[in-house]
Amino acid sequence: MNEIEQSEVEFEQELRGVFARVDAPRGLKERILAARESSAQKVLAIEMKPRRVHWHLPARIAATVLLTAGVSGALVEHHYDEQRKAEKAREQLYLALQITHHAFQHVQDRLAEKGQPHE
Amino acid sequence: MQAELKFEQLVDEHQSMVFSIALRMTGDRGLAEEIAQDVFLELARHLNKIVDADHARNWLRRVAVSRATDALRRRRTRATDRWVELEEKHAVEFAVGDSPLGRRVEELLKQLPEQQRSVLILRYQEELSAEEIATMLGMPVATIKSQLHRGLKLLRSKAQAELKEFVRGGESFHSVELNTAGSTE
């Protein structure tokens, strides 16, 4: 072993001495155990705590459903109302056409009776 | 109850190892104590996964190094805070070893990069081989060997420079003392 290697080995030996483990501070173990106990109790408290029922969300959902149903109902009603009106107008138009047809027929018949040719 | 006893026993056996790793990594007693506490609380959460005593010891070493590295990074990110600077200044005053060489090595260790520091701590405090360190940190053996070599070289060169400075300072002090003694005679 040459001089450099020898001094390296010596330096490593010195380092081993310098790097010896240090004693833990007094009471560290007790503090760790206490922290563990308190964290375990916190977990237990969270698990034991009754679940809070949040009424806000169901109420919001119900209100949304009701509103949607109301608006849809009104729209459907409006649609049927429009349909009824259209049906009535169609019937009235049909009646008017029938009346016109009868009137025209009547005039035609009268003209035929008088022997006038129909123009 | 069995788990409780096992945990207490593990704290008893390894508290100084975990504390020493954290202390050498951070150079701050208060922070090292906090880290040690965190490491053991994490062990408590993973206790059912610990197979045997060797597993527990290696697990604690690895987590201690990792938590200390995290703490150093966190501290670096808030380094602009004046209070942290003061805290760090205060921390430098602390020394692990009683000998002057021990104190200087602790000081020099703080100047090394975190990874080199952790490798040196695991090598010389925990007396692990390069292979064992590589397995623990999940790194190639060649990287660990090179980190060890570079860390040791840096530490040695700095220590030698300090020693020369110390000797020169001592000589000049000695000569002044002698001269003063000569003049009075």
Side-chain angles (χ1 to χ4, degrees):
Chain A
M1 199 183 280
N2 63 29
E3 206 173 302
I4 297 169
E5 282 172 344
Q6 180 67 34
S7 75
E8 272 175 8
V9 170
E10 278 171 13
F11 185 67
E12 280 199 280
Q13 276 306 114
E14 277 176 11
L15 274 186
R16 280 194 185 90
V18 168
F19 274 42
R21 280 185 193 165
V22 188
D23 285 338
R26 194 175 288 182
L28 178 64
K29 181 187 160 188
E30 286 70 29
R31 284 194 287 281
I32 290 167
L33 295 177
R36 191 203 178 193
E37 183 67 27
S38 104
S39 91
Q41 276 174 359
K42 269 184 203 162
V43 171
L44 198 68
I46 290 166
E47 280 170 1
M48 297 284 284
K49 202 174 168 183
R51 282 175 68 88
R52 203 178 135 207
V53 182
H54 295 282
W55 290 106
H56 294 294
L57 190 65
R60 277 183 197 174
I61 292 169
T64 310
V65 169
L66 280 175
L67 195 69
T68 312
V71 170
S72 308
L75 283 174
V76 169
E77 184 57 36
H78 177 71
H79 175 73
Y80 281 122
D81 197 37
E82 289 291 306
Q83 254 189 345
R84 271 197 299 272
K85 278 180 189 170
E87 191 72 29
K88 206 172 170 183
R90 198 163 45 241
E91 278 170 10
Q92 280 173 346
L93 180 68
Y94 184 69
L95 190 67
L97 282 173
Q98 269 186 330
I99 292 167
T100 313
H101 176 74
H102 282 299
F104 184 70
Q105 196 66 47
H106 182 69
V107 170
Q108 234 181 1
D109 289 346
R110 290 288 297 274
L111 285 172
E113 275 172 19
K114 286 184 179 177
Q116 285 181 4
H118 174 63
E119 286 177 20
Chain B
M1 193 64 189
Q2 188 67 24
E4 190 61 41
L5 273 176
K6 195 178 161 192
F7 178 72
E8 207 174 322
Q9 198 182 332
L10 287 170
V11 176
D12 229 2
E13 278 173 25
H14 302 301
Q15 57 175 338
S16 84
M17 175 190 80
V18 172
F19 178 72
S20 301
I21 291 174
L23 185 59
R24 290 217 161 86
M25 283 292 289
T26 62
D28 181 333
R29 255 192 128 76
L31 187 58
E33 205 177 316
E34 252 175 59
I35 292 166
Q37 202 164 304
D38 285 352
V39 169
F40 280 108
L41 286 181
E42 198 166 334
L43 174 74
R45 285 193 288 272
H46 289 86
L47 207 56
N48 55 345
K49 290 174 192 160
I50 300 295
V51 184
D52 54 23
D54 276 348
H55 184 204
R57 190 170 47 245
N58 286 330
W59 189 94
L60 284 167
R61 276 177 184 145
R62 186 172 49 79
V63 177
V65 168
S66 151
R67 290 289 168 279
T69 309
D70 290 347
L72 285 172
R73 280 182 195 149
R74 271 201 305 276
R75 176 185 266 191
R76 213 169 32 231
T77 55
R78 23 169 219 142
T80 45
D81 193 329
R82 286 191 72 79
W83 285 110
V84 174
E85 279 173 28
L86 277 172
E87 196 182 295
E88 279 179 354
K89 262 188 189 171
H90 180 71
V92 169
E93 286 167 16
F94 137 83
V96 176
D98 289 332
S99 67
L101 176 70
R103 254 176 266 148
R104 281 316 297 153
V105 169
E106 297 292 346
E107 288 295 317
L108 295 173
L109 194 64
K110 280 180 220 160
Q111 295 169 24
L112 296 182
E114 285 148 21
Q115 205 169 40
Q116 266 178 23
R117 209 183 307 176
S118 63
V119 169
L120 284 173
I121 293 168
L122 291 171
R123 176 78 187 97
Y124 295 106
Q125 181 191 294
E126 295 305 311
E127 304 205 340
L128 297 179
S129 66
E131 286 76 14
E132 284 170 322
I133 299 171
T135 311
M136 182 178 296
L137 301 180
M139 286 160 75
V141 182
T143 311
I144 298 296
K145 280 185 177 168
S146 118
Q147 295 265 16
L148 265 174
H149 180 71
R150 267 188 286 167
L152 210 57
K153 201 174 158 189
L154 207 66
L155 212 58
R156 199 158 178 248
S157 66
K158 283 187 175 185
Q160 273 174 346
E162 294 266 339
L163 196 65
K164 275 180 191 163
E165 197 70 29
F166 179 75
V167 169
R168 210 179 299 139
E171 273 172 359
S172 59
F173 173 74
H174 195 61
S175 62
V176 167
E177 208 174 33
L178 284 175
N179 286 343
T180 324
S183 66
T184 49
E185 273 173 23

